[in-house]
Amino acid sequence: MNILIIEDDQSVGELERDYLEMSGGFHCTLCTDGTVGLQEALAGDWAMVIVDVMLPGLSGFEICRRLREEKDVPVMIISALADDIDKVRGLGLGADDYITKPFSPSELVARVKGHIQRYQRLVGGREKPKEEVLRIRGLEIDRAARRVWVNGREQTMTGKEYDLLLFLAENPDTVFSKDRLFSRVWGTDACGDPSTVTVHIKHIRDKIETNPDHIQYIETVWGVGYRFRG
């Protein structure tokens, strides 16, 4: 994992770098200028950014503020400014931690690892947002508006036709039986006959397939069910 250290005191920056790299798993880049450090922070893929406050070019506070506007990365401030007002300011600008100099190198390593692990758990637990419009060849399905277009022309669908089409399109190249489709789209407690799935598939095909002899989207897998071509 790559860590950026922005520290104008070369000896302090090298100390931070050496301890982090000796702990294993980290590769550190040291920058001694605030303006260049911000450019590096914005351009690189960093597991964490460690920044001093008093820097030539830009202050660590300004770097933290700018980073928070453009990137989501853990930021730690290490500074000789030990007043509470400085800590409050740094944390208020979005820093994840604030350590005052002199500091314990082992504590630095422990805090860095802790923040990176928490960040990775947070990011790993986030569900990636779905694109509002699902596009498959000439078919467009707008999830937010619940509307469907084929080659630029809107096709009107009933609620269940839309739900069935969306479910199949979101699970391409997977074969679903009529019973499973009925359970997933109509609900496990729904009253009705799973054969209604066949009727709905026919209606959907009439609206989205331009040539019934050459199926582009919903295929029939004989004796099994239906599959959406991805």
Side-chain angles (χ1 to χ4, degrees):
M1 286 183 284
N2 296 318
I3 294 178
L4 176 64
I5 300 171
I6 310 174
E7 170 62 67
D8 66 329
D9 187 325
Q10 187 84 21
S11 61
V12 173
E14 291 175 352
L15 177 69
E16 296 170 7
R17 180 194 64 197
D18 292 345
Y19 268 88
L20 286 166
E21 292 189 344
M22 284 189 299
S23 72
F26 296 122
H27 173 74
C28 298
T29 298
L30 176 59
C31 183
T32 58
D33 178 83
T35 302
V36 177
L38 176 61
Q39 294 171 352
E40 292 285 340
L42 293 174
D45 183 15
W46 308 105
M48 188 165 207
V49 175
I50 300 173
V51 59
D52 188 15
V53 172
M54 307 300 290
L55 294 165
L58 287 176
S59 74
F61 290 141
E62 180 63 14
I63 292 172
C64 185
R65 185 187 69 81
R66 296 275 295 277
L67 265 178
R68 277 291 168 260
E69 290 177 350
E70 301 189 40
K71 294 189 75 170
D72 184 13
V73 58
V75 178
M76 176 183 289
I77 292 176
I78 299 180
S79 174
L81 300 178
D83 290 344
D84 287 345
I85 191 170
D86 295 309
K87 295 180 182 179
V88 170
R89 184 182 179 190
L91 296 172
L93 288 170
D96 297 277
D97 205 348
Y98 192 111
I99 299 178
T100 57
K101 301 175 182 178
F103 57 87
S104 163
S106 58
E107 180 184 2
L108 169 68
V109 171
R111 289 199 187 193
V112 167
K113 288 184 175 180
H115 284 295
I116 291 175
Q117 289 170 359
R118 280 190 291 273
Y119 176 78
Q120 290 178 332
R121 286 197 298 269
L122 177 64
V123 172
R126 291 175 183 162
E127 182 178 351
K128 293 183 178 179
K130 295 178 180 178
E131 294 290 337
E132 285 192 359
V133 179
L134 181 61
R135 295 180 174 87
I136 307 99
R137 296 179 289 281
L139 176 67
E140 296 184 8
I141 305 173
D142 189 325
R143 294 184 173 96
R146 292 178 63 86
R147 299 169 72 181
V148 177
W149 290 266
V150 178
N151 297 325
R153 297 185 62 181
E154 185 171 2
Q155 301 295 320
T156 303
M157 297 202 170
T158 67
K160 280 295 181 279
E161 287 171 2
Y162 174 88
D163 291 340
L164 180 56
L165 173 61
L166 179 62
F167 175 77
L168 287 167
E170 288 182 333
N171 297 276
D173 303 317
T174 302
V175 180
F176 294 98
S177 67
K178 288 187 295 184
D179 288 341
R180 190 175 177 194
L181 287 172
F182 185 78
S183 173
R184 295 297 297 270
V185 176
W186 276 259
T188 55
D189 298 327
C191 297
D193 187 344
S195 63
T196 191
V197 171
T198 303
V199 177
H200 280 74
I201 292 288
K202 180 182 184 304
H203 290 167
I204 294 170
R205 281 175 171 164
D206 289 342
K207 296 173 181 179
I208 69 172
E209 297 289 355
T210 57
N211 185 346
D213 294 327
H214 298 281
I215 297 297
Q216 292 189 67
Y217 301 109
I218 303 176
E219 299 176 319
T220 298
V221 180
W222 296 108
V224 183
Y226 300 96
R227 173 178 56 212
F228 191 94
R229 289 183 59 193

